């Protein structure tokens, strides 16, 4: 059985959002075209408490884009984004939310960031994503969304690690490209790890 994983298609990651990804809204049409083709559609949501440790605003002298130590892990500092129950954390209007069967939220622990839909960045805690997929006997994942070089990449790498056959729907992804070339590198990394790029 196949499942579609929609990664973080949320207001803060598209035009006008706190951490807008260039052309982020372009993933909507791809998502809406794909959704009806899957028996199981799972959407992840970045879902931070207001004082999340990944926010530059929480650390004196740390600016957006800096890398600092957060509880023993190298952490990129982000603007405040995807705060629980705010408009920025909502799915982008126009996304076919009726076609989404399950929503998995991540990034709720203020002390650790969580790019992957499966685990936090320290692989300390797991979301319910794997259990949900195993319950439905899913073997093949099709992954798309925002952002290619962060949440999409880490979701794909964890999925492969967990033994899921994994395909990246490239046209349905857009990236941050904090450093130019990051997106290309992320796609290469997913490919090397065994993802099919479709
Ligand atoms: C993401 C940076 C911080 C993402 C989430 O969804 O790719 N990136 N939080
Ligand atoms: Zn985040």
């Amino acid at each position: 059985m196949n499942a579609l994983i929609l990664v973080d298609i949320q207001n803060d990651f598209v035009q006008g959002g706190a951490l807008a990804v260039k052309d982020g809204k372009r993933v909507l049409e791809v998502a809406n075209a794909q959704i009806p083709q899957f028996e199981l559609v799972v959407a992840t949501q970045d879902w931070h408490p207001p004082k999340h440790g990944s926010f530059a605003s929480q650390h004196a002298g740390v600016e957006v884009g800096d890398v600092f130590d957060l509880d023993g892990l190298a952490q990129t500092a982000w603007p405040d984004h995807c705060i629980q129950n705010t408009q920025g954390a909502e799915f982008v209007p126009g996304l076919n939310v009726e076609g989404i069967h399950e929503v998995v939220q991540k990034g709720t622990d203020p002390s650790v960031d969580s790019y992957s839909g499966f685990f936090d960045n320290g692989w300390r805690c797991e979301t319910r994503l794997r259990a949900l997929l195993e319950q439905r006997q899913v073997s093949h994942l099709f992954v798309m969304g925002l952002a290619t070089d962060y949440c999409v990449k880490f979701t794909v790498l964890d999925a492969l690690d967990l033994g899921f056959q994994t395909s990246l729907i490239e046209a349905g992804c857009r990236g941050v490209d904090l450093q130019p070339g990051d997106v290309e590198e992320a796609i290469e990394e997913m490919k090397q790890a065994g993802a099919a790029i479709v």
Side-chain angles (χ1 to χ4, degrees):
M1 150 113 170
N2 296 339
L4 177 65
I5 312 291
L6 301 173
V7 177
D8 299 3
I9 305 183
Q10 295 167 272
N11 286 326
D12 271 341
F13 295 123
V14 301
Q15 289 92 315
L19 183 35
V21 169
K22 191 170 173 287
D23 290 330
K25 278 194 187 164
R26 301 281 291 277
V27 307
L28 280 181
E29 54 187 297
V30 180
N32 288 339
Q34 291 296 322
I35 285 169
Q37 309 196 40
F38 287 86
E39 248 180 277
L40 178 62
V41 179
V42 183
T44 66
Q45 260 183 335
D46 211 29
W47 196 249
H48 297 309
K51 295 187 172 179
H52 193 265
S54 71
F55 298 166
S57 63
Q58 298 306 304
H59 309 277
V62 171
E63 286 178 50
V64 170
D66 289 353
V67 177
F68 66 102
D69 180 281
L70 181 62
D71 227 28
L73 293 177
Q75 173 68 50
T76 300
W78 301 111
D80 292 16
H81 66 279
C82 294
I83 295 172
Q84 296 168 4
N85 304 305
T86 65
Q87 195 246 348
E90 284 170 19
F91 291 121
V92 178
L95 180 66
N96 172 16
V97 291
E98 274 89 65
I100 296 171
H101 304 106
E102 299 280 351
V103 177
V104 171
Q105 296 173 330
K106 64 186 177 64
T108 56
D109 178 345
S111 69
V112 64
D113 211 353
S114 194
Y115 295 147
S116 159
F118 291 97
F119 300 98
D120 65 62
N121 290 3
W123 291 280
R124 294 170 192 154
C125 291
E126 187 169 359
T127 67
R128 60 194 194 89
L129 182 55
R130 173 183 19 190
L132 196 125
L133 297 172
E134 285 179 354
Q135 239 164 43
R136 300 287 302 269
Q137 286 162 337
V138 172
S139 53
H140 195 154
L141 302 181
F142 290 79
V143 183
M144 57 161 287
L146 307 170
T148 321
D149 36 353
Y150 291 94
C151 292
V152 172
K153 176 177 107 171
F154 286 97
T155 299
V156 164
L157 295 178
D158 279 347
L160 289 163
D161 247 8
L162 292 172
F164 294 100
Q165 255 186 284
T166 307
S167 298
L168 177 79
I169 303 174
E170 190 180 4
C173 298
R174 292 293 185 281
V176 178
D177 251 351
L178 213 51
Q179 309 286 337
D182 281 357
V183 167
E184 237 174 288
E185 220 172 277
I187 290 171
E188 194 50 40
E189 217 179 309
M190 292 185 260
K191 203 190 221 170
Q192 290 304 322
I197 314 297
V198 300

